[in-house]
């Protein structure tokens, strides 16, 4: 082993890969405790925990590859996306974990945060008013009562690994907990709308597509400034700003 790969890093946490071991370093030890508990109770494939310290969690690498990444092409087949949908459904149908997660914020809190963030996006000149106003209207559909499910809370496409058409595991459970199942589905398909039908083929019927679209807008509006401030580029092709433009 002759190098350490920085998978992701910002002021709150960092994930490093050293050979076949992932090291997750978190400024909040309680968040790592929650991640460990979520992986232990989730009824879906997760990385094997090798050891745990107060601020570091070491896990074994998963076999296979991710389905793709936000802003990049999908490398997975329709069958792999459907398999992911079935695994996500298995998670959402599991007994509830004890604590709320990122997908479990209250409607009132989300609405207040969204209003504040939309105002800042416009007044700071980050995004044009028309784009923000349109997506704020779309996002309204996500602000409704929901039944709590076991949610991952940060189910980005590059957190799901597959080998062929089989899901081999899901990583990064620091935001897991009770929450809105459609938040997970929207996060997973963000920027890859063309695979939403494949995911739902595995997940099952009865999904309100307007709420999925709403979460795409809401999540993107809430993360644009954070991404810029932490060295990421939401303006890159296929990323959050393009997701917002697609709602126009």
């Amino acid at each position: 082993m002759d190098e350490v790969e920085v998978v992701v890093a910002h002021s709150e946490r960092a994930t490093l890969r050293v050979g076949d071991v992932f090291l997750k370093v978190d400024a909040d030890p309680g968040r790592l405790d929650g991640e460990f508990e979520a992986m232990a109770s989730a009824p879906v494939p997760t990385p094997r925990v090798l050891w745990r310290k107060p601020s570091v969690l070491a896990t074994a690498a998963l076999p296979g590859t991710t389905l793709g990444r936000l802003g990049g092409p999908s490398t997975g087949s329709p069958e792999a996306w459907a398999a992911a949908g079935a695994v996500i459904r298995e998670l959402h149908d599991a007994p509830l974990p004890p604590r709320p997660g990122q997908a479990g914020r209250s409607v009132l809190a989300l609405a207040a945060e969204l209003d504040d963030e939309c105002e800042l996006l416009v007044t700071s000149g980050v995004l044009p008013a028309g784009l923000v106003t349109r997506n704020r209207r779309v996002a309204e559909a996500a602000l409704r009562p929901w039944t709590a499910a076991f949610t991952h809370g940060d189910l980005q496409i590059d957190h799901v690994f597959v080998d062929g058409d089989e899901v081999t595991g899901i990583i990064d459970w620091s935001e897991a907990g009770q929450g809105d199942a459609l938040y997970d589905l929207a996060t997973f398909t963000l920027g890859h709308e063309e695979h939403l039908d494949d995911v739902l083929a595995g997940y099952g019927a009865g999904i309100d597509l307007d709420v999925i679209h709403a979460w795409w807008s809401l999540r993107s509006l809430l993360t644009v400034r954070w991404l810029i401030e932490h060295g990421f580029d939401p303006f890159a092709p296929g990323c959050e700003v393009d997701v917002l433009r697609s709602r126009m």
Side-chain angles (χ1 to χ4, degrees):
M1 183 66 216
D2 58 2
E3 66 177 20
V4 175
E5 176 189 356
V6 179
V7 179
V8 64
H10 50 77
S11 60
E12 295 178 2
R13 69 193 82 159
T15 301
L16 312 174
R17 181 168 185 169
V18 186
D20 290 332
V21 176
F22 282 93
L23 299 175
K24 188 160 190 180
V25 184
D26 200 311
D28 180 359
R31 195 157 45 204
L32 278 185
D33 290 341
E35 180 165 6
F36 177 80
E37 293 166 5
M39 287 195 294
S41 60
V44 299
T46 62
R48 180 168 59 91
V49 175
L50 301 176
W51 50 264
R52 179 167 59 125
K53 301 289 185 181
S55 294
V56 185
L57 181 68
T59 61
L62 290 169
T65 60
T66 67
L67 280 167
R69 61 180 177 83
L70 182 62
S74 164
T75 56
S77 67
E79 291 77 16
W81 282 86
V87 169
I88 295 169
R89 183 56 180 257
E90 186 177 356
L91 174 67
H92 290 167
D93 286 345
L96 292 175
R99 65 181 78 189
Q102 178 71 4
R105 289 170 291 173
S106 74
V107 171
L108 288 177
L110 269 175
E113 182 182 357
L114 182 59
D115 287 341
D116 291 344
E117 193 61 32
C118 287
E119 181 178 358
L120 286 170
L121 286 169
V122 174
T123 57
S124 63
V126 174
L127 293 176
L131 183 65
V132 172
T133 299
R134 168 59 181 162
N135 278 276
R136 175 62 180 84
R137 286 199 296 265
V138 173
E140 190 71 30
L143 303 175
R144 86 287 176 219
W146 42 267
T147 300
F150 191 148
T151 54
H152 180 278
D154 191 22
L155 198 60
Q156 300 178 52
I157 181 178
D158 54 359
H159 289 168
V160 178
F161 282 71
V162 297
D163 187 0
D165 298 334
E166 179 183 355
V167 175
T168 58
I170 301 175
I171 65 172
D172 283 359
W173 291 81
S174 58
E175 308 290 354
Q178 298 180 27
D180 180 0
L182 298 196
Y183 179 92
D184 271 357
L185 289 173
T187 301
F188 184 59
T189 54
L190 185 76
H192 288 279
E193 185 172 355
E194 73 278 9
H195 286 293
L196 178 58
D197 286 345
D198 298 327
V199 173
L200 296 184
Y203 187 86
I207 299 302
D208 189 334
L209 295 181
D210 286 341
V211 176
I212 297 289
H213 299 160
W215 272 121
W216 287 340
S217 291
L218 201 159
R219 180 182 170 92
S220 297
L221 287 169
L222 291 183
T223 58
V224 166
R225 284 194 321 114
W226 185 94
L227 290 167
I228 294 171
E229 292 169 358
H230 289 79
F232 301 100
D233 185 8
F235 289 88
C239 292
E240 285 80 4
V241 176
D242 273 357
V243 170
L244 295 172
R245 290 170 178 155
S246 72
R247 298 299 105 198
M248 299 297 286

